[in-house]
């Protein structure tokens, strides 16, 4: 599945390049514009490559043992979640990329929304991972796990929506 996603991203990057390149050739300054476009696209793809798969893996791991309504405290096996990598580089890279030419308001908005979603997801996953890996659910009878569930679901939903929009 990851190869299909990467292939799709590669095709879309080529399509963006093919759509933008004729205008750049007509306007001159091809090297500077091409370099700028490459830097811009690399920032967006870099975020996706570094953070998306791990975010989806975390959601998959969580729902492998939790039902749709959340943890009950009666689960036989509790796997917890995975954390994601630090999002600071992604955030700063997208902020810079969004200022580069060629400008594309829709793409830049999608990248900013992606960053907002992944930055919001990061501390929730860290909190949940600590809670489950330290087995704190045994001390509070899964109270925090029950409270975290709707937050995690909302954050993963926002992330998946933002990820899909950026990829498209």
């Amino acid at each position: 599945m990851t190869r299909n996603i990467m292939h799709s991203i590669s095709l879309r990057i080529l399509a963006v390049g093919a759509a933008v390149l004729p205008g750049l050739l007509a306007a001159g300054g091809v090297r500077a514009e091409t370099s700028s476009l490459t830097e811009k696209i690399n920032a967006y793809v870099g975020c996706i490559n570094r953070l998306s798969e791990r975010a989806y893996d975390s959601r998959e791991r969580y729902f492998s043992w939790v039902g749709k309504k959340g943890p009950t405290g009666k689960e036989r096996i509790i796997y917890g979640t995975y954390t994601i990598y630090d999002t600071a580089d992604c955030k700063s890279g997208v902020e810079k990329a969004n200022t580069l030419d060629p400008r594309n308001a829709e793409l830049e908005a999608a990248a900013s929304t992606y960053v907002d979603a992944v930055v919001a997801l990061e501390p929730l996953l860290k909190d949940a991972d600590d809670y489950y890996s330290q087995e704190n659910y045994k001390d509070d009878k899964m109270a925090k796990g029950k409270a975290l569930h709707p937050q995690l679901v909302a954050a993963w939903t926002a992330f998946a929506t933002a990820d899909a929009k950026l990829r498209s």
Side-chain angles (χ1 to χ4, degrees):
M1 180 171 163
T2 303
R3 288 183 189 195
N4 289 338
I5 291 170
M6 291 310 299
H7 180 70
S8 176
I9 290 170
S10 297
L11 290 177
R12 289 184 181 159
I13 290 169
L14 288 173
V16 168
V20 172
L21 191 56
L24 294 176
L25 289 170
V30 174
R31 284 189 183 154
E33 291 291 328
T34 301
S35 175
S36 181
L37 175 62
T38 301
E39 186 177 348
K40 185 177 201 105
I41 296 299
N42 282 346
Y44 302 152
V45 173
C47 288
I48 290 169
N49 287 346
R50 180 157 174 80
L51 300 168
S52 291
E53 185 174 0
R54 186 71 172 175
Y56 288 122
D57 286 349
S58 182
R59 180 176 68 178
E60 186 177 322
R61 178 180 174 90
Y62 181 73
F63 283 111
S64 74
W65 64 273
V66 170
K68 287 186 179 197
K69 294 183 180 182
T72 63
K74 297 177 184 176
E75 291 80 11
R76 236 183 56 180
I77 298 173
I78 297 175
Y79 292 119
T81 63
Y82 295 130
T83 58
I84 58 175
Y85 302 110
D86 181 46
T87 59
D89 287 344
C90 173
K91 182 177 180 182
S92 64
V94 166
E95 287 171 353
K96 180 180 179 193
N98 282 352
T99 67
L100 300 174
D101 288 326
R103 302 306 304 264
N104 182 319
E106 185 179 355
L107 178 59
E108 292 158 8
S112 293
T113 301
Y114 177 94
V115 167
D116 292 345
V118 79
V119 165
L121 185 59
E122 181 184 14
L124 278 173
L125 291 177
K126 173 72 171 119
D127 194 22
D129 183 63
D130 289 347
Y131 177 73
Y132 289 114
S133 65
Q134 295 169 8
E135 298 183 351
N136 293 339
Y137 55 88
K138 292 178 179 179
D139 300 331
D140 71 355
K141 297 182 175 41
M142 197 62 80
K144 184 173 181 175
K146 291 175 183 177
L148 279 172
H149 179 76
Q151 296 173 50
L152 286 167
V153 170
W156 274 316
T157 301
F159 170 77
T161 301
D163 181 67
K165 179 74 173 171
L166 180 58
R167 288 173 190 264
S168 71

